[in-house]
Amino acid sequence: MPKSPRPRPLELAALARDHFAHPRNAAGLLEPAPEVGTGVGGRVQSGTYVVFQVRVAAEGCIDAARWECMGAPAAIAASSWLSEQLPGCSPEQARAWTALGIGDALHLEPEALSALLPVEDALKAALDALDVE
Amino acid sequence: MSSRADWSYLDHAATTPVDPRVHRRMASCMEREGTFGNPSSVHPWGRAAAAMVDQAAAQVADLIQADPAGVVWTSGATEADNLAILGAARFAANRDRGRHVISARTEHAAVLEPLQQLEREGMEVTLLPPEADGRVTPDAVADALRDDTVLVSLMHVNNEIGTVQDIAGVGEVLRDHPTRFHVDAAQSAGRLPIKAEAWGVDLLSLSAHKVYGPKGVGALWVRHRPRVRLEPLLFGGGQQSGLRPGTLAPHLIAGMGEACAIAAEELPTEAPRLAALRERLLHRLMALDAVMLNGQRQGCPHVLNLSFGCVNGDALQAELDGLGVSAGSACSSSERGPSHVLRALGVPDALAHSSLRFSPGRWTTEADVDQAAALVAGAVERLRAFSPAWREFGQGARLDELYGGNPGHAQESKA
């Protein structure tokens, strides 16, 4: 028996796989504006680097989210999926999303969680950057 | 998921399929009336098998331009490396000739791990750091050489990055020193000319399955004139002068002999053909921008190692699932950690993680290479479309700024 079998890339559940294959809201960042918050998570050196943006409409709810992600398939899927959950949320509700919660919602393996932490960090930083909260 | 047949196999540095001519030769040994005898037996069946083994030794020796009497059959290059390193160093240490061994950080685990064993036995090992392209210069070896050095072990061609060491130059440095010189030639056999005798090599490791022969057999060539002596690893019936006892496997040995004969015959045309395929792949993929060549610009014809900047290695691998290349860190990908070879070159871990090793072989065509290049280009471009690192690269950031390390040593493509 081989001592160290070659690890397979983490298998993604169907929902995450679909987001990795067809990422949503990834077609370019929003222009800087007071109602747009931009945040960064992770680092290129560690292999995961995420930029997240949220825009808040006049009535105080998030109406758009954009992202960029250099990361493992789980991080890309999480960024895409999260960007679809945020519109309609208040910034306060948006803060409730953590790596753990995103991982559960996407049925990701526990091993994938570390790749999601930069996504959570980028979202928090984007919310912090909002002038209007 | 596509079937394997839809994809090109570009991983010949990992292993090669058995050539049909080798298969026929082996099959003929394994028939009821085939050459099944024990080569140690003195009756006609044994003598027939022994003659076949002798013929195979001549074929192997011809490929490496060496005396056939020096061929010792092993289970593969790993065993050959172990026998050479442990055997030569222990023989010298047992006779108080010295306890110092020189090798390089970029060697294969089949060399590094026996060296660690020697350290546990009280020997001192110097692992030379490579140049940025993976070379260990003869001067560096000369500087590390001591009066009590008993063994120098260097691979001819690196399995991960294809860097070619100047074996003749190192042999020249060692010519007037009593140390033994071991060369792991598992990757170079059949891809580059090997002149074991002329280069002053004492011990040379070979594997059959890297040259379109069967898995499970290899050889250690041991210089006979002047005689190089080794402590054996195995003890038994005295076969192969007691150096590696055990009943010889005529079908495997005949297969390795045939594989080496074909490799020697085809080398003059195959080497430039592979080099052209490597060049074609290099040219197409460097055009992607932010791609780093790991190794030499003109490396061994069958190994091309590239790091793709601004994408994550796991994502790249997921996109290429099914393509026959080694991903992440080539031979070390089973360990998940960054490759010790790319680390020794100074490649930042994240760039090592997004590296791919392409290794064309005997039946690889230009169309196969083009298909692989198109697949990889498509994957890299898709992932870069939403990569913030790629956007910053496009805005003028350099790869060494983005990755923190110093990838500037290698050749970076930037349009």
Side-chain angles (χ1 to χ4, degrees):
Chain A
M1 191 144 163
K3 187 182 75 179
S4 41
R6 186 186 162 129
R8 301 285 310 151
L10 288 174
E11 287 287 328
L12 295 183
L15 177 61
R17 208 163 54 234
D18 183 58
H19 275 273
F20 174 60
H22 310 286
R24 278 69 126 176
N25 301 312
L29 297 179
L30 302 165
E31 290 297 319
E35 68 274 18
V36 173
T38 301
V40 171
R43 303 183 313 145
V44 176
Q45 295 97 302
S46 58
T48 310
Y49 179 43
V50 184
V51 176
F52 216 93
Q53 284 187 323
V54 290
R55 187 178 66 199
V56 174
E59 57 272 26
C61 280
I62 294 171
D63 73 341
R66 295 282 186 276
W67 57 276
E68 290 177 331
C69 177
M70 167 188 157
I76 292 168
S79 302
S80 169
W81 180 84
L82 184 61
S83 73
E84 284 199 323
Q85 312 309 309
L86 295 177
C89 293
S90 70
E92 213 44 54
Q93 290 167 320
R95 272 184 198 280
W97 284 114
T98 61
L100 208 58
I102 299 167
D104 279 350
L106 285 171
H107 308 291
L108 295 175
E109 305 277 341
E111 291 81 13
L113 273 187
S114 64
L116 305 193
L117 292 170
V119 179
E120 175 186 329
D121 289 346
L123 170 64
K124 297 259 154 72
L127 294 168
D128 288 345
L130 280 173
D131 278 345
V132 292
E133 192 173 344
Chain B
M1 174 111 176
S2 310
S3 78
R4 277 187 305 170
D6 296 336
W7 297 88
S8 334
Y9 180 77
L10 288 175
D11 207 12
H12 293 81
T15 193
T16 56
V18 173
D19 189 295
R21 293 165 284 185
V22 172
H23 173 230
R24 277 196 294 278
R25 181 91 179 90
M26 294 178 66
S28 74
C29 296
M30 297 179 76
E31 280 159 13
R32 170 69 184 81
E33 300 301 324
T35 315
F36 71 92
N38 186 329
S40 300
S41 306
V42 293
H43 49 57
W45 293 270
R47 289 203 303 275
M52 200 178 65
V53 169
D54 287 347
Q55 188 201 348
Q59 290 170 315
V60 170
D62 182 54
L63 180 66
I64 60 173
Q65 302 187 29
D67 177 4
V71 173
V72 177
W73 305 104
T74 66
S75 59
T78 292
E79 188 192 335
D81 287 342
N82 273 264
L83 178 58
I85 291 166
L86 297 175
R90 285 172 180 167
F91 188 90
N94 289 346
R95 284 155 188 79
D96 285 326
R97 290 181 188 166
R99 305 193 144 262
H100 181 235
V101 178
I102 299 173
S103 188
R105 288 190 199 164
T106 47
E107 292 293 312
H108 193 274
V111 165
L112 293 175
E113 300 218 359
L115 290 175
Q116 287 173 5
Q117 175 59 28
L118 287 179
E119 284 184 326
R120 287 190 285 270
E121 295 173 14
M123 301 199 63
E124 195 182 334
V125 177
T126 299
L127 289 184
L128 297 171
E131 305 288 313
D133 64 0
R135 272 176 317 123
V136 173
T137 62
D139 284 349
V141 175
D143 289 347
L145 204 59
R146 308 192 319 211
D147 288 347
D148 65 338
T149 304
V150 293
L151 177 68
V152 175
S153 178
L154 280 180
M155 69 208 314
H156 188 195
V157 166
N158 185 278
N159 55 306
E160 289 190 33
I161 56 176
T163 292
V164 184
Q165 300 295 0
D166 178 7
I167 298 301
V170 174
E172 194 54 43
V173 162
L174 304 179
R175 195 162 291 273
D176 296 321
H177 191 287
T179 181
R180 300 307 185 197
F181 184 22
H182 168 243
V183 172
D184 179 343
Q187 286 296 341
S188 58
R191 280 96 187 188
L192 294 175
I194 298 173
K195 302 176 181 177
E197 301 263 15
W199 290 348
V201 174
D202 296 311
L203 300 152
L204 187 131
S205 303
L206 293 169
S207 168
H209 79 94
K210 306 283 193 192
V211 285
Y212 310 93
K215 292 165 186 64
V217 64
L220 177 67
W221 178 77
V222 183
R223 179 180 289 276
H224 259 229
R225 280 185 298 273
R227 191 176 184 83
V228 170
R229 296 179 64 194
L230 306 171
E231 296 287 350
L233 299 178
L234 304 181
F235 299 88
Q239 293 92 343
Q240 309 201 74
S241 314
L243 251 185
R244 203 285 193 176
T247 299
L248 293 174
H251 64 294
L252 292 174
I253 289 169
M256 179 163 184
E258 184 74 14
C260 288
I262 296 168
E265 187 190 326
E266 298 193 350
L267 179 62
T269 49
E270 185 66 354
R273 195 186 69 84
L274 288 173
L277 290 177
R278 180 186 190 271
E279 191 64 26
R280 189 179 179 94
L281 201 47
L282 176 72
H283 183 74
R284 302 211 163 192
L285 292 174
M286 290 296 266
L288 283 173
D289 222 359
V291 177
M292 263 181 38
L293 171 64
N294 301 313
Q296 292 167 315
R297 179 67 182 76
Q298 309 284 342
C300 194
H302 77 304
V303 178
L304 178 65
N305 188 313
L306 300 173
S307 285
F308 297 88
C310 308
V311 298
N312 172 288
D314 285 343
L316 184 59
Q317 208 173 332
E319 286 289 274
L320 298 175
D321 190 29
L323 178 63
V325 298
S326 277
S329 35
C331 242
S332 311
S333 56
S334 61
E335 316 256 313
R336 207 71 172 149
S339 137
H340 72 280
V341 175
L342 297 181
R343 260 207 174 159
L345 262 52
V347 177
D349 288 353
L351 267 181
H353 193 48
S354 65
S355 70
L356 297 175
R357 180 188 66 183
F358 303 87
S359 182
R362 187 169 283 166
W363 296 283
T364 307
T365 63
E366 284 189 353
D368 294 334
V369 160
D370 291 351
Q371 185 196 9
L375 278 165
V376 172
V380 169
E381 283 168 354
R382 182 177 100 78
L383 294 172
R384 281 177 175 174
F386 44 78
S387 162
W390 176 245
R391 172 174 49 75
E392 290 171 16
F393 181 83
Q395 291 164 351
R398 296 195 319 271
L399 271 193
D400 57 343
E401 293 168 346
L402 288 168
Y403 281 87
N406 177 27
H409 67 270
Q411 297 172 43
E412 178 184 336
S413 73
K414 184 146 184 171

